[in-house]
Amino acid sequence: MTEPECLFCKIVAGDVPSTPVYENGTVYAFRDINPQARVHVLVVSRQHYEDAGALAGDDPALLADLVLAGVEVARQEGIERSGYRMVFNTGEDAGRTVFHAHLHVLGGEGLGLFGRVG
Ligand code: AMP
Ligand code: ZN
């Protein structure tokens, strides 16, 4: 299923440009347009799900595909040994802006602690 107004569905379809990093039959990974670390890649399911919980509930294997693709991205980017962070944001307090489930893969330099603002 795709959502016509969804930015990441449009990116998966190629209707909005992106910089590809990795893809397979179920997922697509591309560079974040506003990187928060030297490496910042988003991994999305080709199929539209609102968030990671909805995806996991409906298709747990697809959630595993996202995580395994994140590991592959880290390997390709040469950060699997130096370390990296995988993040799913959900809801307003997490600063969520795009409502198509996506995994952030961040690394390539030391990352700050995360949690409360300030
Ligand atoms: P989130 O805040 O978890 O919803 O993350 C959404 C992410 O999508 C942010 O890190 C944005 O920088 C990123 N983003 C928004 N538009 C684009 C785009 N057209 N191409 C690549 N990344 C994007
Ligand atoms: Zn979508």
PDB file of all heavy atoms in Angstrom, residues 89-109:
ATOM      1  N   ASN A  89      11.749   7.305  15.686  1.00  0.00           N
ATOM      2  CA  ASN A  89      11.017   8.330  16.421  1.00  0.00           C
ATOM      3  C   ASN A  89       9.520   8.077  16.263  1.00  0.00           C
ATOM      4  O   ASN A  89       9.053   7.743  15.176  1.00  0.00           O
ATOM      5  CB  ASN A  89      11.338   9.723  15.866  1.00  0.00           C
ATOM      6  CG  ASN A  89      12.760  10.158  16.193  1.00  0.00           C
ATOM      7  OD1 ASN A  89      13.263   9.878  17.273  1.00  0.00           O
ATOM      8  ND2 ASN A  89      13.402  10.833  15.265  1.00  0.00           N
ATOM      9  N   THR A  90       8.790   8.258  17.359  1.00  0.00           N
ATOM     10  CA  THR A  90       7.335   8.139  17.294  1.00  0.00           C
ATOM     11  C   THR A  90       6.718   9.292  18.074  1.00  0.00           C
ATOM     12  O   THR A  90       7.053   9.490  19.248  1.00  0.00           O
ATOM     13  CB  THR A  90       6.862   6.791  17.899  1.00  0.00           C
ATOM     14  OG1 THR A  90       7.472   5.724  17.178  1.00  0.00           O
ATOM     15  CG2 THR A  90       5.347   6.649  17.794  1.00  0.00           C
ATOM     16  N   GLY A  91       5.877  10.082  17.419  1.00  0.00           N
ATOM     17  CA  GLY A  91       5.104  11.113  18.108  1.00  0.00           C
ATOM     18  C   GLY A  91       5.851  12.419  18.303  1.00  0.00           C
ATOM     19  O   GLY A  91       7.037  12.564  18.014  1.00  0.00           O
ATOM     20  N   GLU A  92       5.089  13.371  18.831  1.00  0.00           N
ATOM     21  CA  GLU A  92       5.527  14.766  18.894  1.00  0.00           C
ATOM     22  C   GLU A  92       6.752  14.969  19.784  1.00  0.00           C
ATOM     23  O   GLU A  92       7.689  15.683  19.414  1.00  0.00           O
ATOM     24  CB  GLU A  92       4.350  15.604  19.405  1.00  0.00           C
ATOM     25  CG  GLU A  92       4.548  17.084  19.259  1.00  0.00           C
ATOM     26  CD  GLU A  92       3.330  17.854  19.760  1.00  0.00           C
ATOM     27  OE1 GLU A  92       2.213  17.288  19.773  1.00  0.00           O
ATOM     28  OE2 GLU A  92       3.516  19.008  20.152  1.00  0.00           O
ATOM     29  N   ASP A  93       6.763  14.360  20.965  1.00  0.00           N
ATOM     30  CA  ASP A  93       7.888  14.589  21.876  1.00  0.00           C
ATOM     31  C   ASP A  93       9.206  14.093  21.286  1.00  0.00           C
ATOM     32  O   ASP A  93      10.278  14.565  21.674  1.00  0.00           O
ATOM     33  CB  ASP A  93       7.641  13.894  23.226  1.00  0.00           C
ATOM     34  CG  ASP A  93       6.775  14.734  24.157  1.00  0.00           C
ATOM     35  OD1 ASP A  93       6.466  15.895  23.810  1.00  0.00           O
ATOM     36  OD2 ASP A  93       6.399  14.221  25.232  1.00  0.00           O
ATOM     37  N   ALA A  94       9.133  13.137  20.388  1.00  0.00           N
ATOM     38  CA  ALA A  94      10.350  12.616  19.742  1.00  0.00           C
ATOM     39  C   ALA A  94      10.728  13.441  18.513  1.00  0.00           C
ATOM     40  O   ALA A  94      11.705  13.128  17.827  1.00  0.00           O
ATOM     41  CB  ALA A  94      10.155  11.153  19.362  1.00  0.00           C
ATOM     42  N   GLY A  95       9.921  14.469  18.211  1.00  0.00           N
ATOM     43  CA  GLY A  95      10.230  15.331  17.077  1.00  0.00           C
ATOM     44  C   GLY A  95       9.917  14.690  15.743  1.00  0.00           C
ATOM     45  O   GLY A  95      10.473  15.049  14.709  1.00  0.00           O
ATOM     46  N   ARG A  96       8.991  13.760  15.771  1.00  0.00           N
ATOM     47  CA  ARG A  96       8.613  13.045  14.548  1.00  0.00           C
ATOM     48  C   ARG A  96       8.023  13.998  13.528  1.00  0.00           C
ATOM     49  O   ARG A  96       7.162  14.816  13.867  1.00  0.00           O
ATOM     50  CB  ARG A  96       7.568  11.982  14.933  1.00  0.00           C
ATOM     51  CG  ARG A  96       7.055  11.156  13.785  1.00  0.00           C
ATOM     52  CD  ARG A  96       7.963   9.981  13.536  1.00  0.00           C
ATOM     53  NE  ARG A  96       7.538   9.225  12.374  1.00  0.00           N
ATOM     54  CZ  ARG A  96       6.541   8.358  12.367  1.00  0.00           C
ATOM     55  NH1 ARG A  96       5.845   8.138  13.445  1.00  0.00           N
ATOM     56  NH2 ARG A  96       6.240   7.701  11.260  1.00  0.00           N
ATOM     57  N   THR A  97       8.475  13.894  12.265  1.00  0.00           N
ATOM     58  CA  THR A  97       7.967  14.805  11.230  1.00  0.00           C
ATOM     59  C   THR A  97       7.399  14.083  10.015  1.00  0.00           C
ATOM     60  O   THR A  97       6.589  14.663   9.290  1.00  0.00           O
ATOM     61  CB  THR A  97       9.079  15.762  10.747  1.00  0.00           C
ATOM     62  OG1 THR A  97      10.190  14.994  10.280  1.00  0.00           O
ATOM     63  CG2 THR A  97       9.544  16.684  11.862  1.00  0.00           C
ATOM     64  N   VAL A  98       7.831  12.856   9.747  1.00  0.00           N
ATOM     65  CA  VAL A  98       7.355  12.137   8.565  1.00  0.00           C
ATOM     66  C   VAL A  98       6.672  10.847   9.022  1.00  0.00           C
ATOM     67  O   VAL A  98       7.278  10.037   9.737  1.00  0.00           O
ATOM     68  CB  VAL A  98       8.511  11.808   7.594  1.00  0.00           C
ATOM     69  CG1 VAL A  98       7.975  11.041   6.388  1.00  0.00           C
ATOM     70  CG2 VAL A  98       9.217  13.087   7.140  1.00  0.00           C
ATOM     71  N   PHE A  99       5.420  10.662   8.582  1.00  0.00           N
ATOM     72  CA  PHE A  99       4.598   9.584   9.131  1.00  0.00           C
ATOM     73  C   PHE A  99       4.563   8.374   8.215  1.00  0.00           C
ATOM     74  O   PHE A  99       3.508   7.882   7.823  1.00  0.00           O
ATOM     75  CB  PHE A  99       3.218  10.141   9.495  1.00  0.00           C
ATOM     76  CG  PHE A  99       3.349  11.158  10.605  1.00  0.00           C
ATOM     77  CD1 PHE A  99       3.573  12.493  10.320  1.00  0.00           C
ATOM     78  CD2 PHE A  99       3.335  10.742  11.926  1.00  0.00           C
ATOM     79  CE1 PHE A  99       3.763  13.415  11.337  1.00  0.00           C
ATOM     80  CE2 PHE A  99       3.524  11.653  12.958  1.00  0.00           C
ATOM     81  CZ  PHE A  99       3.736  12.995  12.654  1.00  0.00           C
ATOM     82  N   HIS A 100       5.760   7.926   7.892  1.00  0.00           N
ATOM     83  CA  HIS A 100       5.993   6.666   7.178  1.00  0.00           C
ATOM     84  C   HIS A 100       7.169   6.039   7.934  1.00  0.00           C
ATOM     85  O   HIS A 100       8.228   6.664   8.048  1.00  0.00           O
ATOM     86  CB  HIS A 100       6.332   6.962   5.714  1.00  0.00           C
ATOM     87  CG  HIS A 100       6.678   5.768   4.875  1.00  0.00           C
ATOM     88  ND1 HIS A 100       6.111   5.531   3.626  1.00  0.00           N
ATOM     89  CD2 HIS A 100       7.555   4.759   5.068  1.00  0.00           C
ATOM     90  CE1 HIS A 100       6.627   4.426   3.111  1.00  0.00           C
ATOM     91  NE2 HIS A 100       7.508   3.932   3.967  1.00  0.00           N
ATOM     92  N   ALA A 101       6.950   4.843   8.473  1.00  0.00           N
ATOM     93  CA  ALA A 101       7.956   4.223   9.350  1.00  0.00           C
ATOM     94  C   ALA A 101       9.347   4.305   8.737  1.00  0.00           C
ATOM     95  O   ALA A 101       9.536   3.943   7.573  1.00  0.00           O
ATOM     96  CB  ALA A 101       7.589   2.765   9.604  1.00  0.00           C
ATOM     97  N   HIS A 102      10.300   4.790   9.524  1.00  0.00           N
ATOM     98  CA  HIS A 102      11.669   4.886   9.028  1.00  0.00           C
ATOM     99  C   HIS A 102      12.663   4.713  10.162  1.00  0.00           C
ATOM    100  O   HIS A 102      12.447   5.177  11.274  1.00  0.00           O
ATOM    101  CB  HIS A 102      11.909   6.208   8.299  1.00  0.00           C
ATOM    102  CG  HIS A 102      11.568   7.427   9.097  1.00  0.00           C
ATOM    103  ND1 HIS A 102      10.280   7.884   9.221  1.00  0.00           N
ATOM    104  CD2 HIS A 102      12.338   8.267   9.820  1.00  0.00           C
ATOM    105  CE1 HIS A 102      10.273   8.969   9.972  1.00  0.00           C
ATOM    106  NE2 HIS A 102      11.509   9.217  10.365  1.00  0.00           N
ATOM    107  N   LEU A 103      13.741   4.042   9.824  1.00  0.00           N
ATOM    108  CA  LEU A 103      14.832   3.802  10.763  1.00  0.00           C
ATOM    109  C   LEU A 103      15.965   4.764  10.428  1.00  0.00           C
ATOM    110  O   LEU A 103      16.424   4.802   9.281  1.00  0.00           O
ATOM    111  CB  LEU A 103      15.304   2.350  10.597  1.00  0.00           C
ATOM    112  CG  LEU A 103      16.531   1.919  11.380  1.00  0.00           C
ATOM    113  CD1 LEU A 103      16.241   1.917  12.877  1.00  0.00           C
ATOM    114  CD2 LEU A 103      16.984   0.533  10.927  1.00  0.00           C
ATOM    115  N   HIS A 104      16.388   5.559  11.424  1.00  0.00           N
ATOM    116  CA  HIS A 104      17.571   6.408  11.245  1.00  0.00           C
ATOM    117  C   HIS A 104      18.808   5.571  11.576  1.00  0.00           C
ATOM    118  O   HIS A 104      18.843   4.891  12.609  1.00  0.00           O
ATOM    119  CB  HIS A 104      17.557   7.587  12.222  1.00  0.00           C
ATOM    120  CG  HIS A 104      16.446   8.567  12.042  1.00  0.00           C
ATOM    121  ND1 HIS A 104      16.633   9.794  11.439  1.00  0.00           N
ATOM    122  CD2 HIS A 104      15.138   8.531  12.401  1.00  0.00           C
ATOM    123  CE1 HIS A 104      15.492  10.471  11.442  1.00  0.00           C
ATOM    124  NE2 HIS A 104      14.565   9.729  12.027  1.00  0.00           N
ATOM    125  N   VAL A 105      19.821   5.655  10.733  1.00  0.00           N
ATOM    126  CA  VAL A 105      21.132   5.057  11.026  1.00  0.00           C
ATOM    127  C   VAL A 105      22.141   6.201  11.078  1.00  0.00           C
ATOM    128  O   VAL A 105      22.341   6.914  10.077  1.00  0.00           O
ATOM    129  CB  VAL A 105      21.555   4.037   9.951  1.00  0.00           C
ATOM    130  CG1 VAL A 105      22.906   3.422  10.305  1.00  0.00           C
ATOM    131  CG2 VAL A 105      20.491   2.947   9.777  1.00  0.00           C
ATOM    132  N   LEU A 106      22.726   6.407  12.256  1.00  0.00           N
ATOM    133  CA  LEU A 106      23.624   7.550  12.483  1.00  0.00           C
ATOM    134  C   LEU A 106      24.980   7.050  12.949  1.00  0.00           C
ATOM    135  O   LEU A 106      25.061   6.142  13.781  1.00  0.00           O
ATOM    136  CB  LEU A 106      23.053   8.454  13.578  1.00  0.00           C
ATOM    137  CG  LEU A 106      21.699   9.091  13.288  1.00  0.00           C
ATOM    138  CD1 LEU A 106      20.794   8.982  14.493  1.00  0.00           C
ATOM    139  CD2 LEU A 106      21.857  10.531  12.886  1.00  0.00           C
ATOM    140  N   GLY A 107      26.053   7.672  12.442  1.00  0.00           N
ATOM    141  CA  GLY A 107      27.390   7.300  12.902  1.00  0.00           C
ATOM    142  C   GLY A 107      28.443   8.051  12.124  1.00  0.00           C
ATOM    143  O   GLY A 107      28.182   9.108  11.547  1.00  0.00           O
ATOM    144  N   GLY A 108      29.656   7.503  12.141  1.00  0.00           N
ATOM    145  CA  GLY A 108      30.763   8.133  11.428  1.00  0.00           C
ATOM    146  C   GLY A 108      31.518   9.137  12.272  1.00  0.00           C
ATOM    147  O   GLY A 108      32.499   9.732  11.810  1.00  0.00           O
ATOM    148  N   GLU A 109      31.072   9.351  13.499  1.00  0.00           N
ATOM    149  CA  GLU A 109      31.732  10.234  14.465  1.00  0.00           C
ATOM    150  C   GLU A 109      31.078   9.952  15.819  1.00  0.00           C
ATOM    151  O   GLU A 109      30.031   9.303  15.891  1.00  0.00           O
ATOM    152  CB  GLU A 109      31.547  11.702  14.087  1.00  0.00           C
ATOM    153  CG  GLU A 109      30.106  12.151  14.052  1.00  0.00           C
ATOM    154  CD  GLU A 109      29.966  13.579  13.529  1.00  0.00           C
ATOM    155  OE1 GLU A 109      30.801  14.426  13.895  1.00  0.00           O
ATOM    156  OE2 GLU A 109      29.037  13.822  12.754  1.00  0.00           O
TER     157      GLU A 109
END
